[in-house]
Amino acid sequence: MGALAFGIAPAASGGHYWYCSGSTPWKYANYYINYYNGAGGDYYNIYQEESKTDSNAWSPYTDIYLNQVSAAGSTDHLNTYAGSYGATGWLGLASIESNSGCTILKGTARLNKSYLDNGSYSRTNKKHVACQEVGHLFGLHHTSGTTCMNDQILNAPYPNSHDRDAVNAIY
Ligand SMILES: [Zn+2]
């Protein structure tokens, strides 16, 4: 129940990028991305930890810099939310809601409290999903190993060195 899902189906590929076209991954224009955290309660903290404040969060661990802003945006923005979205089949969802070619203008990550708050998921599990959805928006596909980008596990709430190298290769 509640498999992790992309908002947009990735192109069939064995690579670790979320491909837009051919070998071009989806990505923001550059490493400096406006970040709006619209989640409430502890989900706000979970996104903050995974995005910016954990030592191995995306923003300090890779070349990405998330510039926190106070309102959602659609021009060069990564917006994060948590809500009770119902029996959607996904714990978390990464969606590209506005783009110019393969450049993301508005990316959105959502965590589904309908599953995540049903008593079956630990805070670590929630952090894993948050980390993964944000990672998708940087252009990463699922991978294996001890990393939040592994969609077969839920207990590694951080990117690994492979993810860091993959992100840094495109930003
Ligand atoms: Zn995923």
Side-chain angles (χ1 to χ4, degrees):
M1 178 183 71
L4 300 165
F6 288 98
I8 298 172
S13 168
H16 292 157
Y17 289 116
W18 185 4
Y19 287 109
C20 164
S21 175
S23 60
T24 303
W26 289 106
K27 64 185 288 287
Y28 285 88
N30 58 49
Y31 75 96
Y32 189 96
I33 302 164
N34 295 306
Y35 164 60
Y36 170 67
N37 185 347
D42 195 38
Y43 286 97
Y44 178 90
N45 302 321
I46 286 170
Y47 274 123
Q48 286 299 111
E49 291 165 18
E50 295 307 310
S51 299
K52 289 179 72 76
T53 63
D54 279 359
S55 62
N56 47 15
W58 290 108
S59 191
Y61 189 62
T62 71
D63 289 344
I64 295 286
Y65 180 76
L66 292 173
N67 175 49
Q68 191 139 14
V69 296
S70 59
S74 59
T75 54
D76 183 20
H77 291 76
L78 193 164
N79 306 307
T80 64
Y81 302 95
S84 298
Y85 302 115
T88 57
W90 45 263
L91 299 178
L93 188 72
S95 311
I96 296 165
E97 299 183 339
S98 181
N99 63 289
S100 174
C102 292
T103 299
I104 300 170
L105 301 178
K106 180 185 181 185
T108 300
R110 292 184 173 86
L111 295 177
N112 192 347
K113 295 161 64 175
S114 299
Y115 296 122
L116 293 172
D117 285 351
N118 73 3
S120 298
Y121 299 95
S122 68
R123 192 170 191 279
T124 295
N125 298 155
K126 297 173 186 180
K127 282 170 64 82
H128 183 107
V129 181
C131 176
Q132 181 174 127
E133 301 316 326
V134 171
H136 282 319
L137 294 173
F138 297 144
L140 300 184
H141 194 352
H142 295 141
T143 185
S144 56
T146 306
T147 163
C148 68
M149 297 314 297
N150 186 339
D151 67 336
Q152 304 300 308
I153 61 174
L154 283 172
N155 59 0
Y158 40 78
N160 66 11
S161 60
H162 171 85
D163 305 321
R164 180 185 59 203
D165 293 346
V167 166
N168 290 353
I170 59 172
Y171 287 94

